[in-house]
Amino acid sequence: NGADTFSGVQYLSKDKTEGVLFAFLTHRCDVVPPLVLYPHGLDPEAQYRVEGFPQTRSGRAWMVMGIPFALGNFQSSVVRISKES
């Protein structure tokens, strides 16, 4: 099922303006579509930009839709999350 091979860690500033989301994938035998992590704690009404994505979305949208990661075996990635002013 992949749940035990894919994990993430998120850090978010107390004022909810900056954060990072780390994604880690260990060995997978099967080919899988992009894996998704769901950030937590964002201001649902504020607009956020996620590094690597051209559009801004509300905190609520990012938390519900998640952030996809296309990782191969033993790869990791990190994205920066920034609140738009």
Side-chain angles (χ1 to χ4, degrees):
N1 68 25
D4 56 338
T5 63
F6 180 59
S7 61
V9 177
Q10 176 188 331
Y11 295 95
L12 186 63
S13 64
K14 287 184 182 184
D15 63 1
K16 300 181 181 186
T17 61
E18 297 287 329
V20 291
L21 183 59
F22 297 89
F24 306 93
L25 178 68
T26 56
H27 181 69
R28 292 292 306 267
C29 293
D30 54 337
V31 176
V32 295
L35 300 160
V36 178
L37 289 177
Y38 299 88
H40 295 279
L42 303 178
D43 177 347
E45 303 304 318
Q47 292 293 307
Y48 287 88
R49 179 167 300 284
V50 174
E51 184 178 44
F53 294 86
Q55 73 281 9
T56 60
R57 292 184 179 157
S58 69
R60 176 176 289 111
W62 287 114
M63 291 187 290
V64 170
M65 297 171 67
I67 300 171
F69 291 87
L71 299 174
N73 285 334
F74 304 106
Q75 288 185 333
S76 62
S77 183
V78 61
V79 294
R80 181 177 177 191
I81 302 169
S82 302
K83 186 176 180 181
E84 294 287 293
S85 42

